[in-house]
Every structure is written in structure tokens, then in C-alpha cells.
Amino acid sequence: MSASGVAAFDKTLQVTNTWLDDIMKQQGPDRQVAWHILGAVLHTIRDRLPADLSAHLAAQLPLLVRGAYYEQYEPSKQPMRLHSLDEFLTQVKEELAFTRPVDAKDAVQTVFGVLSHYLDPGQVAKVRESLPEDIRALWPDPHSRH
């Protein structure tokens, strides 16, 4: 029998913890900070994407992460026009304002790497290609990771 009694819950906790472990390898051993980093970068990506592409990305996320992804989502305000890397990083910094100091660029690169590693390369490529070139430059080519 599963720990929670629901196999889907156990699976999403296991996968989410694997993602957080990967983030902690780059960002330090604080799981709570890793969770905030993941959420901040995902929210910033989400808010930059058209609703249909955002939904396709969400469908690839573990169930628990998908819930965090949609937290405070306002589809009528999307997509935000974050045209530059500086605007993108500022948005991430604002989301991380209540954690210990985190370098936003490093956080973005870490989460982009996790997404490239675990998600379907074709879906990651679509999301990556929708971003401005200077933001896209931080995201490793998903086809080279699989």
C-alpha cells in the first residue's frame, strides 16, 4: 500500500522531491528555497506564455508542481510582455523577495535545466522558442539533454 493511500499522490511527491533535489544541488541544501525557486521561475514563464502553450507546459509537470504553477494565475492578464532578460529576471527576483538572497539568473538557469532534463524535449523546445532570444540563451537545448 502507498504511504498516502493514493498512488498518484505518492508519485507526485517522489517526482517533485527529485526535481527539488536537482535544484538544491545548484542552489544550496534548503528544500523550501528550492521550492520557491521552482515556483518563481515557473510563474514567470507561465505569465510570459500564451494560455494554450502555458496549458501544454502545465500538462507536463508533476501534479503537485502543476498546482503551484497555477497558483495566482490570471489568464486574462496573460501573456505579459517581458521583452528582455532584465525584465524576466526582475519578475523572478520579485517572486523570491521573501527567501534568502538568490541570484535570479542562476535560479532561472537551474530551473530551465531541470525542465529540459525531465520534460518532453519537443514541448520544452516550443516553450523555449516562444521566449525572447536573450532569455532563451539561458535555457539549454532540450534535444541535447536526452
Side-chain angles (χ1 to χ4, degrees):
M1 180 163 203
S2 68
S4 70
V6 179
F9 292 170
D10 294 336
K11 177 70 173 169
T12 193
L13 283 173
Q14 177 186 10
V15 173
T16 299
N17 277 315
T18 298
W19 286 29
L20 294 176
D21 288 344
D22 286 358
I23 293 168
M24 289 167 25
K25 287 176 190 170
Q26 301 291 321
Q27 298 295 322
D30 188 326
R31 189 168 299 279
Q32 190 70 28
V33 171
W35 177 251
H36 285 294
I37 289 170
L38 180 60
V41 176
L42 286 174
H43 289 164
T44 305
I45 295 169
R46 174 202 70 196
D47 292 347
R48 173 67 181 70
L49 298 176
D52 59 336
L53 186 54
S54 180
H56 287 290
L57 173 60
Q60 298 277 315
L61 301 173
L63 183 62
L64 182 60
V65 176
R66 190 178 321 143
Y69 179 82
Y70 280 119
E71 185 178 18
Q72 299 179 357
Y73 181 50
E74 297 182 57
S76 64
K77 295 183 179 180
Q78 310 316 327
M80 289 176 55
R81 297 292 170 212
L82 300 173
H83 295 290
S84 72
L85 177 59
D86 286 341
E87 291 172 314
F88 193 88
L89 295 177
T90 296
Q91 184 67 30
V92 171
K93 285 178 196 174
E94 288 174 8
E95 289 253 354
L96 292 172
F98 299 104
T99 66
R100 68 160 168 77
V102 173
D103 182 276
K105 186 175 179 182
D106 288 344
V108 167
Q109 288 178 301
T110 297
V111 173
F112 283 176
V114 168
L115 296 175
S116 287
H117 184 76
Y118 290 107
L119 300 184
D120 175 73
Q123 185 62 47
V124 169
K126 288 177 187 175
V127 172
R128 185 177 177 264
E129 290 302 314
S130 76
L131 299 172
E133 187 175 339
D134 55 348
I135 300 169
R136 191 170 52 237
L138 298 180
W139 199 323
D141 181 353
H143 296 291
S144 68
R145 308 222 19 138
H146 287 269

